[in-house]
Amino acid sequence: MKKKGFTFLAILVATSTVISISTSFMNYPKKKEKFQRFETYVVQQGDTLWSIAKKYTNGDPRRLIYEIRKHNDISPIIRPGQAIEIPILNK
């Protein structure tokens, strides 16, 4: 009787793990976003990548911050006067 209970528990844990992992990937973007154009932005005193990205997106700015950093090959630290290209999503 104990062996059946252990087997049931192992199956239950394995199933829950698979379900958890699969649902976490459901929200991941399925296709790459296409950027047709770029706008040049000159960093002002007090700007952050977050504040700049918020100007160019209505939603969560994290994806755009990633794209800005990748396209411009920059670290999270930006300086006033620095020109960066902002990828504009093709709509």
Side-chain angles (χ1 to χ4, degrees):
M1 193 74 164
K2 286 186 177 184
K3 188 172 184 173
K4 286 183 181 180
F6 178 75
T7 304
F8 175 75
L9 183 61
I11 291 171
L12 182 64
V13 168
T15 304
S16 325
T17 303
V18 168
I19 290 171
S20 296
I21 291 171
S22 350
T23 55
S24 68
F25 284 108
M26 288 175 68
N27 292 333
Y28 195 76
K30 306 250 185 304
K31 64 176 187 169
K32 269 196 149 179
E33 296 174 327
K34 302 281 183 183
F35 299 100
Q36 274 196 338
R37 62 187 179 91
F38 296 87
E39 285 187 18
T40 301
Y41 181 84
V42 178
V43 178
Q44 304 298 310
Q45 184 70 34
D47 277 345
T48 62
L49 286 175
W50 185 275
S51 66
I52 294 168
K54 285 295 278 183
K55 294 176 185 179
Y56 290 90
T57 185
N58 294 331
D60 187 352
R62 286 179 280 192
R63 178 68 181 168
L64 184 55
I65 291 170
Y66 170 79
E67 294 296 339
I68 292 169
R69 289 189 58 205
K70 184 173 116 181
H71 179 75
N72 293 280
D73 193 27
I74 57 174
S75 72
I77 299 170
I78 55 176
R79 294 183 171 46
Q82 181 178 2
I84 57 176
E85 289 188 340
I86 309 295
I88 306 300
L89 184 62
N90 176 24
K91 293 185 180 186

